[in-house]
Amino acid sequence: MKHWLVILCLLCGMTAFAQQQPTWEQVWHDISNPEDMDEEELTEDYECLQQLAAHPIDLNSTSYEELEQLPFLSEQQIEEMMEYLYRYGPMRSFGELRMLKSMGQRELALLPFFITLEEKTEDTTSFPRWSTIAREGRHTLTATGRIPFYQRKGDEQGYLGYKYRHSLRYEFSYGNYVKAGLIGAQDAGEPFFGQRNSWGYDTYSYYIQVQRLGCLENAIVGKYKVSTGLGLVLNTSFSLGKLSMLQKLGRQTNTLRVHSSRSEADYFQGAAATLRVLQPLSVTLFASYRPLDATLNDDGSATTIITSGYHRTPTEYEKKGNTHETDLGGSISFRQGGLHLGAHAVLTTLDRKLQPDTSVIYRRYYPQGEHFFNASLDYGYTHHRFSLNGETATDRHGALATIHSLSFQPSSALSLMALQRFYSYRYTGYHAHSFGDNSRAQNESGFYLGFSWTPMGHLHLQGYADYAYFPWARYQAMDTSHAWDFLLQGDWQLQRWGIKARHRLRMRQKNNEEATALIPDNEHRGRLSVTYTHPTAWSTKTQLDYTHSAYKTTCKGYMVSEHLGWQQKNWQWNLATGYFNTDDYNSRIYLYEHQMQHDIAFPMFYGEGLRLAFYVRTDVVKNLRLSAKLGYTNYFDRSVIGTGQQQIAQAHTTDLDLQLRWKF
C-alpha cells in the first residue's frame, strides 16, 4: 500500500503542465553541492544572498566593490559591466546585459534578483540627509517559529527549554546607504526567559551599517563578517565550493558585510570600516571581542572550540561563553585598471590556551596556543579574455600557504579555469577558509581544472576535475593520502522543456576496519531532472537522485521526487513529494525544498521512506505576508528516529513552520 501511495503522489505532479520562471533559490541550488558543506555554511551563504536580494544593488550607481558581493560573478563580468556603464551611461533594461560578451545564461537568470536599474534625477554621489533617512527608511519585522508534532527524548527529560524553535528579526534600511538590524534566535530545547537565561533569546545578532559617507565606503558596528583575497587569512563569509568557484572563475573577494543570520560561528563582534584613501587605494580596519563556547581540559585550557551554538542541556549551557577571543586586523587593497594588489593581516588572542588532544595523529598540527597571527599578499590581473589571481600567506611560525587561479575565456561560449593550491600541514590559519577538498586551509596540495561551455544556444555544460594530496594524516586517514573529484553537469533548455543532469565521482582513501592501512572510498552521486514551462502560474519538476558508495561495504540509494508550484499576485504554494530508498547513511540523499525567508532547507534522507512538504505564502494585506510550511517524513524501515537526546520514539515526524513578515 505504501508504494502505491508513493506512485500516486509522484504521478499527480505529472498532470501539471506549467512552470513559472525559476527563483534565485532554484538557480543557486543548481550550482551548489550541499554534500560539500555543513548546515552552518549553507545557512550563511543563503542568508547573504537573502540580504542581497532584499536590498538589490542599483547597477547604474554602483561600484566594483559592491558588485564583488555577488558571489556568482567573475572578474571579467564585473569589469565588463563597469566598462559598459562608463562608455554608454546607465542601463535602461535588463536586455542590455545580453550585450556583454562574458555574461552567461546563469548570470542573466540570477542578476535581476540582485540588481535594479534606476534612473536617478538627483545627485547620487552625496550621502543623504539623516532626516531623509529617518523619514523614508523602510522597516521590516519578521517572526518565525517551528512547531514539532512529536517529542524528542530530551524534550521529556534533559533539555532546559521547550521543543519549539523561534526567532524575531527587525531590520531598517535606506537604499544601500544605511542598514540596521536586531535578530533574536532560539533553538528547540533551549531555555527562554528563565532556566539560567534571563535575556530571553539564546543568541542575538545586531548591527548598524553605513555606506558611501564621503571617504568612508563601508562601516559596521555590531556583528560582521570579513573576507579578503582567496581566504588564506580571512574568510568568514562565503564558502568556496568547487562549482561556485567555477562560476566566478577564481575571483578574489574583498568584502565587509553584516552578520545577520542566527549562526553562532565565524563572525566578528565590534567595529570595522573600509576607507577610500585614494581612488585606487582602500584600507579596511577591524577590531573584535566576542565570547566562544569551548570544551575544557582539566587544567582549564580549551580542547575544542564549539560552533554549533546549542545550549539545551546543563552541560551545553556550562560551556556557553566560557572563552573569549580578541581580533585585530587590517587590509590594504590597490586596484588600477586590470591590476589589483592587496596586503592582509590579523592577530587573534584567546583568553584560554587552545590545547587539542595532539596524541591523536591527525590533530597533531591543529591550532594550538593563545596567540595566532597571519599575514598575506594577494595579487592579480584581469583582462577581458583572461584573469590571474593569487594569494600567499604565512603564520607566526613561518609556515606557508599559497593558491593561484588562471581563467581564460576564448569566446563568450567557453570559459576555462585552472587552480593550484599548497597548504602546508604546519600552516595554521585561525580564520582561514579557502578552496580545497575541505574548507580548512591546511595539509593539502592540489590542482583543479574546470570548464563552462555553451556549444549551442539551448545547451550549457559545466565540469571539473580536482586532485588533492594530503601529506599528513587526516580524520579517518592514518597516513599520507590523496583524493580525486570529477563532476559533469548539463543543462538543456528548449522552449517550455528543460533537462538538467549531473554526475559526480569522488575517489578518496580512508582507514580500513582495523585502521592499519588505507583503502579506497569511491562515491558516485547523480541527478536528473525534467521541467516543463508554460506561461501561466503553474510549475512542475520531476527529479531522480541516486548514489553509489564503496567503502568497506558497497551501498546504494535513490530518491524520486516531484515538485509542484503555483503563483499569482498574492498567493504562492509549492508541494514537494519524494520516495527515498538507500542502504545506509553513506548513501544518503539531499533534496532542496522551498523554505521560509532567512532559512534554508536541504534535508538529508537515508533508509526507506516518504517525504511530503507543502509551502504556502499569502499577502494578507499590503506589506503583511504570512507563510507556512508543513513537512512530513515517514520511515518504512525503522520504529525509532535519531539517537541520544534527539531520539524520537516513532517512525514519522511532522513539523509546521510559520512566518509573519511586516514591512512599514
Side-chain angles (χ1 to χ4, degrees), residues 8-20 26 530 532 537-543 561-567 572-577 594 613-616:
L8 178 62
C9 290
L10 297 178
L11 290 181
C12 70
M14 301 299 291
T15 61
F17 50 84
Q19 183 184 18
Q20 70 264 31
Q26 292 169 324
V530 179
Y532 182 71
W538 287 90
S539 68
T540 182
K541 179 175 74 171
T542 304
Q543 182 170 298
S561 59
E562 185 67 34
H563 305 257
L564 307 176
W566 180 81
Q567 182 173 351
Q572 175 186 344
W573 63 257
N574 296 83
L575 174 65
T577 65
H594 205 94
F614 180 70
Y615 170 88
V616 62

Side-chain angles (χ1 to χ4, degrees), residues 331-352:
S331 174
I332 301 175
S333 298
F334 173 87
R335 181 176 295 276
Q336 184 71 49
L339 177 67
H340 57 87
L341 302 169
H344 321 285
V346 59
L347 172 66
T348 300
T349 301
L350 302 178
D351 65 354
R352 291 182 188 271

Side-chain angles (χ1 to χ4, degrees), residues 507-565:
M507 299 184 295
R508 294 166 287 184
Q509 293 178 303
K510 290 184 179 180
N511 293 334
N512 61 7
E513 196 71 46
E514 298 78 20
T516 57
L518 298 179
I519 59 175
D521 174 14
N522 299 332
E523 179 185 76
H524 295 262
R525 288 187 178 274
R527 174 177 297 148
L528 176 65
S529 66
V530 179
T531 61
Y532 182 71
T533 304
H534 192 273
T536 66
W538 287 90
S539 68
T540 182
K541 179 175 74 171
T542 304
Q543 182 170 298
L544 170 65
D545 291 270
Y546 67 88
T547 180
H548 183 279
S549 176
Y551 171 59
K552 297 181 182 178
T553 60
T554 299
C555 58
K556 58 186 181 298
Y558 67 91
M559 184 171 190
V560 184
S561 59
E562 185 67 34
H563 305 257
L564 307 176

Side-chain angles (χ1 to χ4, degrees), residues 17-48:
F17 50 84
Q19 183 184 18
Q20 70 264 31
Q21 293 301 311
T23 63
W24 70 261
E25 292 96 331
Q26 292 169 324
V27 180
W28 183 253
H29 170 53
D30 291 336
I31 60 176
S32 61
N33 275 330
E35 60 266 23
D36 281 349
M37 299 179 282
D38 58 29
E39 186 177 353
E40 289 177 357
E41 291 177 318
L42 285 167
T43 302
E44 282 299 317
D45 285 6
Y46 191 78
E47 174 61 29
C48 181

